[in-house]
Structure formats: C-alpha cells, structure tokens
Amino acid sequence: MEVETGDLIVGAMMLVFGLIGLVLASGSTDNEMYIFGLSLAGFAAVFVVGLIRRHYDKVEAYARGEDWHV
C-alpha cells in the first residue's frame, strides 16, 4: 500500500509549520510569541502523528481485507 500524495503534502506542510513555530519560540522576546510558537510546533507534531496513525490503520485494514472508511 502506497502513501497518498495529499497526506504527504500536508505532512510536509505541517513539518514546515512546526519548524516555523520552533523558530518563533526561540527568537521571541515576549511570552505571547513564545507560547504561540510552542503551541504551533506542538500542534504540528500531534497532527503528523495523527497522519502516521491513520496510514497504519489503513495498512492494517487492507491486510485484514476490510474496507477502510475515513
């Protein structure tokens, strides 16, 4: 089973957003930007983990011969 192109593109975008969040947090001089940067990086990490989880759920359903519904 192959990786869907849309998931790959969205995952790459989330990776970029996570890195931007870390850069924002590291260069911040106020608490609001620091919290926003860490929140953006945390959201991106959780989102990518969800994409990975969904991919392996599809692989397991395919291996069992079940129909996958998103």
Side-chain angles (χ1 to χ4, degrees), residues 25-43:
S26 69
S28 67
T29 57
D30 55 349
N31 287 337
E32 291 83 10
M33 191 56 72
Y34 179 74
I35 291 171
F36 175 74
L38 287 182
S39 298
L40 184 60
F43 172 76

Side-chain angles (χ1 to χ4, degrees), residues 2-54:
E2 296 182 17
V3 177
E4 293 185 21
T5 306
D7 288 344
L8 188 62
I9 292 170
V10 170
M13 283 179 26
M14 283 295 128
L15 177 66
V16 170
F17 288 154
L19 290 175
I20 289 171
L22 290 176
V23 169
L24 283 174
S26 69
S28 67
T29 57
D30 55 349
N31 287 337
E32 291 83 10
M33 191 56 72
Y34 179 74
I35 291 171
F36 175 74
L38 287 182
S39 298
L40 184 60
F43 172 76
V46 170
F47 195 90
V48 169
V49 168
L51 284 175
I52 294 169
R53 180 182 159 266
R54 189 174 74 171

